[in-house]
Amino acid sequence: MPSDIFELLPNLVAFNYERHYEPLFINQNWVLINGISEKKATYVFKDDNILSIQDDAVVSETSWTISFHNIFSIETTDGLITVKAYFKDKDVLVLEHQDKVDYALFINEDKVENGINSIDDVTRFLKAKYEKKVKEVIHKHEFYYIDNFKEFGPYTAKELVEKVKSNALSVYCFIRDINDHDYSKRLRIKDLLYS
């Protein structure tokens, strides 16, 4: 496992009871991604400090408590462990072990249409999730374009695509990001169509 979860998953948000407990954390089916290629384990943190773990067909219960802010104590077969809880978006939970360099990565199966049962399912879910996010960011991002030796803009990627669809603009027009100073990257509107 990577020694620093923050390098693997940047922008983790520490668990916040008011923001996360009721809508995102409690009574959700959290599938443990670590080891999913060998077996599926689903964790459900319940209101009465019961942690239900379904490991294949076997269901066991243990206890958990919030000790301080985003620090949790969980009773395991190996004894009491202490973890810090973080969210990466609303459907990815990370529990970072406090006594050793280790973490557990979970996906909220309630947010996945066909469930999480394998590494392939994890890959498909994350790819679809972050492709959608990138498209949303790109479509809101602004660009200048050059047409007949004149520069126009800035326009959002979505606006440029609409101009192409209405035949007001060629798909081959060069564009530049609002943060770029020239057109040396040789991007064209057609490049946005595949984003």
Side-chain angles (χ1 to χ4, degrees):
M1 302 251 175
S3 61
D4 189 1
I5 187 64
F6 298 97
E7 290 176 19
L8 178 65
L9 292 172
N11 305 320
L12 288 174
V13 176
F15 178 88
N16 178 291
Y17 187 89
E18 290 78 25
R19 247 182 32 214
H20 298 131
Y21 183 82
E22 196 64 42
L24 301 180
F25 180 71
I26 203 74
N27 296 321
Q28 304 293 312
N29 289 298
W30 292 104
V31 175
L32 179 62
I33 303 309
N34 311 54
I36 196 169
S37 59
E38 297 162 19
K39 64 181 176 180
K40 178 179 177 178
T42 305
Y43 289 58
V44 180
F45 295 87
K46 298 181 178 180
D47 265 325
D48 49 3
N49 293 86
I50 299 294
L51 172 57
S52 174
I53 303 170
Q54 181 174 351
D55 193 345
D56 289 327
V58 179
V59 177
S60 60
E61 289 190 343
T62 187
S63 63
W64 69 279
T65 56
I66 298 175
S67 304
F68 181 74
H69 296 294
N70 68 329
I71 299 176
F72 291 68
S73 297
I74 300 173
E75 188 67 41
T76 70
T77 54
D78 299 329
L80 192 67
I81 64 165
T82 305
V83 296
K84 277 190 176 181
Y86 299 92
F87 279 95
K88 175 71 176 170
D89 302 321
K90 63 185 178 205
D91 42 24
V92 177
L93 172 69
V94 175
L95 298 181
E96 180 188 26
H97 203 297
Q98 294 302 282
D99 299 325
K100 58 183 178 178
V101 180
D102 201 4
Y103 67 90
L105 179 65
F106 298 86
I107 292 178
N108 186 343
E109 190 170 37
D110 299 331
K111 308 291 185 195
V112 182
E113 192 172 309
N114 296 317
I116 301 275
N117 296 298
S118 67
I119 288 292
D120 288 339
D121 292 341
V122 171
T123 303
R124 271 192 296 278
F125 169 71
L126 293 175
K127 183 177 180 203
K129 175 183 176 65
Y130 291 108
E131 275 182 356
K132 181 181 177 190
K133 212 173 215 187
V134 165
K135 284 181 182 179
E136 288 171 2
V137 168
I138 287 174
H139 282 255
K140 292 177 185 173
H141 197 71
E142 294 182 322
F143 298 87
Y144 289 93
Y145 72 90
I146 194 162
D147 188 30
N148 291 324
F149 306 104
K150 287 187 181 179
E151 185 174 67
F152 300 91
Y155 291 98
T156 65
K158 186 176 181 178
E159 290 171 324
L160 291 174
V161 169
E162 289 302 316
K163 285 179 177 286
V164 167
K165 286 180 181 177
S166 68
N167 293 321
L169 203 53
S170 169
V171 73
Y172 297 104
C173 281
F174 283 108
I175 58 172
R176 71 173 176 88
D177 183 284
I178 59 169
N179 299 311
D180 291 337
H181 301 292
D182 59 30
Y183 293 84
S184 60
K185 291 184 179 172
R186 315 262 324 142
L187 289 173
R188 295 179 185 266
I189 296 174
K190 72 179 182 124
D191 297 320
L192 299 177
L193 296 175
Y194 303 108
S195 302

